[in-house]
Amino acid sequence: MFLELKSKWKDVKSRKILSLIDRQRVNNFSIQTNGLFFDYSKTNIDEDTLGLLLDLLKKSSFHEKREAMFSGKKINITEDRAVLHTALRAENGPILMDGKDIMPAVLGTRFRMLNFAEAIRNGEIQGEGGRYTDVINIGIGGSDLGPSMAYLALRPYTNGPKCHFVSNVDGAHINDVLEGLNPRTTLVVVASKTFKTIETLTNAQTALDWMAKKVARPADNFVALSSSMGRTAQFGISADRVFSFEDWVGGRYSLWGPIGLSLAIALGRDDWLSFLDGAASMDRHFIATPDEDNICIILALIGIWHAQIGGYATRAVLPYEQRLERLPAYLQQLEMESNGKAVKIDGNDVEITTGPVVWGTSGTNGQHAFYQLIHQGTQIIPCEFLIGKQGHEPNLCHQHRLLQANCLAQSQALMVGRNLDDARKIASLKGFVGDELERQARHRVFKGNRPSTTLVYDKLTPACLGQIIALYEHRVFVEGAILEINSFDQWGVELGKELATALGPVLMGENAGEGNDASTEHLVQILRSNK
Ligand code: F6P
């Protein structure tokens, strides 16, 4: 199937996308669902290609794999775990795992968590100095990126205490956050599934020491979000301040449960529940919609077409929504930690490239930074634009229209480009003539024919954000199923952690670090010489 697609690629790769575009294509190559409009007409995919991609999907046993995930089978085979983060946002059950309904426990934790969030918001639970004014979420990776991205995205809906996020073990991060906060009115949320992550535990200890200087019972202002009750107790956090979740929730998929506590405190019960509902509506769409109309599947197939078939090494995510500035960073973990693998589930090597690298930032900022390369660089970078019909600033509608104009202009420019004749006219108007006109004109050519997709949403509400995140989660699942990899483990981060644990004492001068390679040893010496 991959071979057929590759040969199709060769046939169509220099065809002009613009030559395909008409109203019928726009209808056929777009999906409308639940307040979202997804346009993929500006890609080089035609009916025939779509048919081949859908066949590829079928042959990958995707449908069986999807069923296995939602029915609680242990599809994360290297960790022997089910993958049921979707249960965290389900309204009700039953959802069975090993023959047992997990929903009573999920709903119980949701109930406890929301009661706690409301009690923080309304001042029923207070710090020594009165109502909590600030919440610090200390976590990293999946225990940080989700809540911090969503907190920024949903700023118009946050009306609880102010949330801060500390992730990096660099002391500068926690230092800069603690500066200016009052330990007597600050709640610290330690978010770590394993409760073993060195960055998080180190920052949590620093926060505890900071609080201990001003507060009689510092641990009372700490909450833990974790699957390890043993380790949270060891840290000194009492069981009634721990919100736990099971090992069938992967770190980068964990925003929907206790790991979202800081966000739930910021939003309050109703908006939190509509955030979950939005995601659950995307789950229903993913399960029940035929493949060709399924937005998660189509997004994934476009990804496969561009990265695995076409060989484009990266893709840019470009939200025209300042509050989605952190979405690309969130998607980097979601997509790259999930599908950056080299071995298939059966233990054999993956024969095609995995990935791709995901990157981006919010429009229009990116336009004044890296879009030059996207438009005229030698690599082709498929772009995924996101734009809302409405903003949240009724008094600044004109700015929102300008934002939309920029978004559409970029996808149009990528596709249409500018040919040499038109570039010559521009150079001529600038007064250039002869050889110089030719030279100047060539710099003003845009080859165009660069693919992009555009996701339009009504307004970035909690429900809409839930939908968008779930859409991307399922896209990762579909791509992983086609690549036959396990999207739910992350062994690639382990070696670095082990080596850092060994190098820490060497840098502190506690041992000589024998056995290190000469390059690393030399760098250790250089760093230590500046003690
Ligand atoms: O980066 C590796 C990783 O294990 C991620 O998968 C995870 O989200 C992150 O570390 C944090 O892990 P924990 O929540 O256990 O502290």
Side-chain angles (χ1 to χ4, degrees):
M1 217 53 243
F2 275 110
L3 289 179
E4 277 173 85
L5 277 157
K6 290 231 179 215
S7 121
K8 175 76 189 176
W9 180 271
K10 269 197 206 137
D11 293 345
V12 301
K13 76 172 182 213
S14 38
R15 173 179 64 189
K16 293 275 176 228
I17 299 172
L18 188 58
S19 71
L20 303 173
I21 297 278
D22 58 21
R23 280 311 294 252
Q24 195 182 342
R25 175 172 173 83
V26 174
N27 287 339
N28 294 350
F29 291 80
S30 62
I31 298 176
Q32 186 136 27
T33 175
N34 237 337
L36 297 181
F37 178 77
F38 177 62
D39 173 27
Y40 62 107
S41 62
K42 291 192 181 83
T43 65
N44 209 341
I45 293 174
D46 56 24
E47 295 286 355
D48 189 35
T49 309
L50 192 58
L52 291 172
L53 287 165
L54 289 164
D55 281 352
L56 174 72
L57 179 81
K58 249 180 238 131
K59 295 216 167 84
S60 70
S61 312
F62 156 75
H63 299 96
E64 294 78 0
K65 289 174 185 166
R66 179 178 59 186
E67 164 66 19
M69 174 169 79
F70 280 98
S71 59
K73 302 268 168 10
K74 296 195 172 167
I75 60 170
N76 176 357
I77 53 114
T78 59
E79 296 179 304
D80 194 28
R81 289 175 184 165
V83 174
L84 276 173
H85 51 276
T86 47
L88 296 182
R89 56 209 188 205
E91 203 181 337
N92 46 42
I95 295 178
L96 300 182
M97 209 192 90
D98 292 336
K100 199 177 147 225
D101 184 10
I102 58 171
M103 283 314 285
V106 168
L107 295 176
T109 303
R110 191 184 296 164
F111 183 74
R112 245 190 89 220
M113 173 182 152
L114 286 177
N115 283 348
F116 182 80
E118 287 301 320
I120 297 291
R121 287 166 61 82
N122 64 28
E124 236 171 83
I125 299 179
Q126 301 203 342
E128 284 182 20
R131 257 173 195 256
Y132 286 114
T133 53
D134 297 88
V135 174
I136 311 176
N137 183 87
I138 298 180
I140 195 163
S143 300
D144 164 75
L145 287 162
S148 63
M149 177 273 289
Y151 179 69
L152 176 62
L154 299 178
R155 173 94 171 70
Y157 302 87
T158 58
N159 53 11
K162 192 160 184 230
C163 293
H164 312 263
F165 297 87
V166 173
S167 52
N168 202 321
V169 75
D170 183 344
H173 202 177
I174 188 138
N175 181 72
D176 292 356
V177 167
L178 295 182
E179 220 171 56
L181 293 188
N182 177 358
R184 290 164 50 78
T185 55
T186 298
L187 179 75
V188 178
V189 175
V190 187
S192 176
K193 177 178 169 183
T194 55
F195 230 75
K196 280 205 286 199
T197 305
I198 193 73
E199 290 95 329
T200 300
L201 295 186
T202 308
N203 279 323
Q205 189 57 52
T206 301
L208 190 62
D209 296 344
W210 166 79
M211 199 164 269
K213 288 189 193 134
K214 292 272 160 51
V215 171
R217 292 186 310 280
D220 286 2
N221 302 298
F222 273 62
V223 177
L225 319 172
S226 180
S227 336
S228 172
M229 295 294 281
R231 292 196 197 100
T232 54
Q234 245 170 18
F235 189 85
I237 301 178
S238 64
D240 62 322
R241 285 297 177 90
V242 180
F243 298 90
S244 65
F245 52 103
E246 300 295 326
D247 66 5
W248 40 258
V249 181
R252 54 193 172 274
Y253 297 88
S254 59
L255 170 62
W256 316 102
I259 291 295
L261 180 69
S262 51
L263 183 62
I265 293 174
L267 290 176
R269 186 188 305 270
D270 292 349
D271 282 336
W272 173 260
L273 290 175
S274 77
F275 175 59
L276 297 192
D277 283 349
S281 74
M282 187 54 74
D283 296 340
R284 291 190 292 276
H285 171 88
F286 181 49
I287 294 172
T289 310
D291 297 350
E292 60 278 14
D293 300 321
N294 193 309
I295 191 168
C296 314
I297 290 176
I298 295 297
L299 188 60
L301 294 179
I302 296 167
I304 295 280
W305 174 244
H306 287 149
Q308 278 72 35
I309 309 298
Y312 299 150
T314 83
R315 77 167 153 249
V317 177
L318 306 167
Y320 275 67
E321 175 92 43
Q322 180 56 27
R323 295 189 182 107
L324 284 179
E325 193 185 17
R326 299 277 298 153
L327 182 68
Y330 174 80
L331 294 180
Q332 279 175 339
Q333 189 201 16
L334 181 65
E335 303 201 18
M336 292 160 75
E337 196 165 90
S338 296
N339 287 348
K341 311 281 163 69
V343 173
K344 293 197 283 191
I345 287 187
D346 65 11
N348 291 313
D349 286 349
V350 186
E351 292 106 8
I352 40 173
T353 51
T354 58
V357 176
V358 176
W359 60 284
T361 193
S362 59
T364 60
N365 291 352
Q367 289 174 208
H368 297 272
F370 52 76
Y371 277 44
Q372 164 63 39
L373 183 148
I374 292 184
H375 285 289
Q376 284 191 317
T378 50
Q379 308 170 37
I380 294 198
I381 299 165
C383 294
E384 295 180 359
F385 294 97
L386 294 96
I387 178 81
K389 286 188 193 167
Q390 277 181 62
H392 284 87
E393 289 67 37
N395 54 330
L396 295 174
C397 281
H398 63 293
Q399 293 205 204
H400 195 71
R401 290 291 179 225
L402 211 49
L403 183 74
Q404 292 173 329
N406 271 277
C407 179
L408 298 189
Q410 293 304 322
S411 62
Q412 190 177 38
L414 284 169
M415 175 174 70
V416 177
R418 180 195 286 146
N419 62 29
L420 188 56
D421 274 351
D422 288 345
R424 281 193 189 111
K425 282 179 202 144
I426 291 168
S428 160
L429 282 174
K430 290 199 176 293
F432 294 112
V433 290
D435 287 353
E436 189 55 14
L437 182 146
E438 200 58 21
R439 186 158 76 116
Q440 292 288 340
R442 285 179 57 79
H443 287 274
R444 289 163 172 81
V445 168
F446 289 67
K447 287 192 177 150
N449 213 25
R450 300 184 176 214
S452 71
T453 60
T454 303
L455 181 70
V456 182
Y457 47 86
D458 288 344
K459 192 173 178 179
L460 192 61
T461 58
C464 172
L465 182 68
Q467 277 182 303
I468 293 175
I469 302 173
L471 162 65
Y472 276 98
E473 284 181 352
H474 295 319
R475 178 251 198 107
V476 167
F477 177 83
V478 179
E479 291 191 356
I482 292 174
L483 298 172
E484 296 177 55
I485 57 183
N486 178 6
S487 301
F488 300 101
D489 60 11
Q490 55 285 318
W491 298 106
V493 298
E494 292 306 319
L495 182 58
K497 284 187 195 169
E498 281 164 30
L499 296 181
T501 306
L503 282 167
V506 185
L507 279 156
M508 289 185 204
E510 290 165 13
N511 73 55
E514 270 159 34
N516 279 315
D517 62 273
S519 167
T520 307
E521 200 175 77
H522 187 61
L523 289 169
V524 166
Q525 277 167 19
I526 301 241
L527 289 173
R528 289 206 59 212
S529 67
N530 199 28
K531 261 201 306 187

